[in-house]
Amino acid sequence: MSIDTVLTRCLGLAHPIIQAPLAGGGDTPDLVAAVSNAGALGFIGAAYLTPEQIISTATAVRSRTTRPFGINLFAPLPPSDSSENPETMLARLAPYFAELGQPAPSLPKSPASSFDEQLAAALESGASSFSFTFGALPASAVQAIKARNMFLIGTATTVEEAITMEKSGVDAVVTQGSEAGGHRGSFGSDFASGMVGSISLVPQVVDAVGVPVIASGGIMDGRGVVAALALGASAVQMGTAFLTCHEAGVPDAYKEAILSAHEDQTRITRAFSGRPARGIVNRFMTEIELNHGDDVILPFPLQNSLTRPLRTAAAKQGRAEFLSLWSGQGVRLARRQSAADLVARLAKEIDATIATLQNCVTAARSVGSPMRLAREAKDHGGPQI
Ligand SMILES: Cc1cc2nc3c(=O)[nH]c(=O)nc-3n(C[C@H](O)[C@H](O)[C@H](O)COP(=O)(O)O)c2cc1C
């Protein structure tokens, strides 16, 4: 059975499935292209890439697929408070750098590429969709993206944020439920208020906006996809499920951590990047934040830059206790497989879930409606169920 939604039609997809952009190396060209070749939409998370890297990554994807793929950036953030004193954090990080045989941590020397430079490269990338998170885009960026005929997708964690996105001119909204792995996209109010679970968030956003909705957060299998469609979403965006694919570029220790984690072992933390994000609890998270409080953690992206060398060294040494193990709450459903197998398996599970629901309807018709059964039970003095 093929699922036909407004988004499968607009985006030219065989399945209503988007591989979440996975900034930080998870979404290799092999992963993105394999997802697109399988009839879903692969995405490049380009937020940490230089303009040159954006072009070379997109070229690598294009050499592996002729199908559509997307590109994603972080919306530009207001400049962080320059009066922040990094000394306490530098001192707290130093023993961990020493433990991994790294020179003492220091402030980053070269500034990251500006949003405008990244956007210029993204516009040249050949991607057919552009998505973003962390806030709204400047009007000039929206215009430039639309002038390229790219399908524009913004991220929201509340109804108000979704309305802001729609007003800014996006073609679709990703709802990021509180179950989601990785950084929170919240921008409208404080992060805690934006922790709304998908089963509440999706239908309320669907009712509030006119553009199609893409559900994300904790969706790992065909049951989750069908549930999201039932709530009114026109597609889903899945991150954690793709991280354990063979093609994903995260260290094996990271994949192992996801594959052995339980649903109650992730937390929202600022310890790695300075911005709230969901990941599997590990030693670094516990010692930096949970044991000492988060008041000395520097704002994003400064904290992220400070901890990057530690995470890079930990990745090389297979030390999961120092990696930012971004992951959603659906971890028990993660599997090791190729991206093509994951997409094919999701398609089969979607069919099986719909068939199960149809069987329920058929069975209910043959025995009578639940309301009629309840009335009959009451008439006969039985419990009202
Ligand atoms: C490792 C990782 C990196 C992510 N990077 C990005 C990103 O660069 N841009 C973005 O919009 N979302 C990013 N996300 C969030 C996803 O878009 C999505 O909200 C999330 O993965 C959905 O939850 P799930 O992981 O339970 O599927 C990332 C998520 C993970 C796990």
Side-chain angles (χ1 to χ4, degrees):
M1 178 189 319
S2 82
I3 304 286
D4 178 41
T5 73
V6 61
L7 282 181
T8 57
R9 288 193 295 278
C10 285
L11 300 172
L13 305 178
H15 310 289
I17 297 165
I18 298 173
Q19 164 246 309
L22 301 166
D27 47 11
T28 58
D30 281 342
L31 180 73
V32 177
V35 172
S36 289
N37 283 333
L41 187 65
F43 245 93
I44 301 171
Y48 301 133
L49 302 183
T50 63
E52 296 72 30
Q53 289 169 328
I54 291 175
I55 295 295
S56 61
T57 305
T59 306
V61 171
R62 185 44 84 222
S63 71
R64 291 161 170 80
T65 183
T66 54
R67 296 196 47 84
F69 66 93
I71 196 139
N72 171 276
L73 290 177
F74 296 162
L77 295 169
S80 62
D81 185 358
S82 56
S83 65
E84 293 289 343
N85 178 2
E87 294 311 320
T88 312
M89 182 47 64
L90 286 170
R92 191 173 286 181
L93 291 175
Y96 300 113
F97 277 64
E99 188 176 331
L100 290 180
Q102 299 301 302
S106 58
L107 292 175
K109 290 187 188 65
S110 54
S113 306
S114 76
F115 173 80
D116 288 341
E117 293 167 335
Q118 290 180 311
L119 175 63
L123 294 175
E124 297 297 325
S125 67
S128 54
S129 298
F130 182 102
S131 74
F132 59 97
T133 185
F134 293 3
L137 291 184
S140 57
V142 172
Q143 272 171 15
I145 294 162
K146 297 235 160 166
R148 290 284 172 144
N149 280 327
M150 292 168 100
F151 192 84
L152 183 59
I153 306 172
T155 306
T157 62
T158 62
V159 169
E160 283 309 314
E161 290 177 357
I163 293 170
T164 303
M165 281 298 149
E166 181 172 39
K167 285 188 181 148
S168 77
V170 299
D171 299 308
V173 174
V174 169
T175 56
Q176 190 186 40
S178 56
E179 311 91 334
H183 285 106
R184 302 296 304 153
S186 301
F187 62 93
S189 56
D190 61 299
F191 285 99
S193 314
M195 293 297 288
V196 184
S198 291
I199 203 158
S200 304
L201 182 61
V202 175
Q204 295 186 77
V205 170
V206 167
D207 286 352
V209 298
V211 293
V213 170
I214 300 162
S216 84
I219 300 169
M220 301 290 289
D221 63 14
R223 294 170 297 183
V225 178
V226 174
L229 296 176
L231 294 172
S234 301
V236 300
Q237 178 162 295
M238 302 167 61
T240 304
F242 283 101
L243 278 175
T244 50
C245 284
H246 303 321
E247 299 92 337
V250 298
D252 213 50
Y254 187 169
K255 293 185 184 178
E256 278 305 324
I258 292 178
L259 290 163
S260 58
H262 297 167
E263 74 291 351
D264 57 354
Q265 290 175 333
T266 70
R267 294 274 187 289
I268 300 291
T269 180
R270 291 180 59 241
F272 290 100
S273 74
R275 187 178 172 97
R278 184 178 290 286
I280 298 167
V281 177
N282 62 1
R283 179 180 154 203
F284 185 82
M285 207 195 271
T286 308
E287 293 182 3
I288 289 290
E289 183 172 50
L290 301 182
N291 289 354
H292 298 283
D294 83 344
D295 33 336
V296 296
I297 295 176
L298 299 165
F300 182 90
L302 188 52
Q303 181 79 8
N304 201 44
S305 304
L306 282 189
T307 65
R308 181 172 289 124
L310 185 79
R311 289 179 279 126
T312 306
K316 286 192 187 127
Q317 296 175 31
R319 302 277 298 266
E321 69 264 44
F322 295 119
L323 294 175
S324 48
L325 302 170
W326 302 144
S327 168
Q329 291 179 317
V331 277
R332 285 193 202 244
L333 302 170
R335 302 280 180 270
R336 233 186 232 284
Q337 60 204 331
S338 69
D341 285 349
L342 172 56
V343 175
R345 173 184 180 147
L346 289 168
K348 274 196 192 137
E349 290 171 349
I350 291 169
D351 287 352
T353 307
I354 292 173
T356 304
L357 292 173
Q358 279 167 340
N359 285 342
C360 290
V361 175
T362 314
R365 276 208 196 103
S366 64
V367 289
S369 77
M371 287 307 291
R372 207 188 82 214
L373 289 176
R375 259 197 319 273
E376 283 173 5
K378 194 168 172 233
D379 289 348
H380 291 95
Q384 202 174 2
I385 47 171

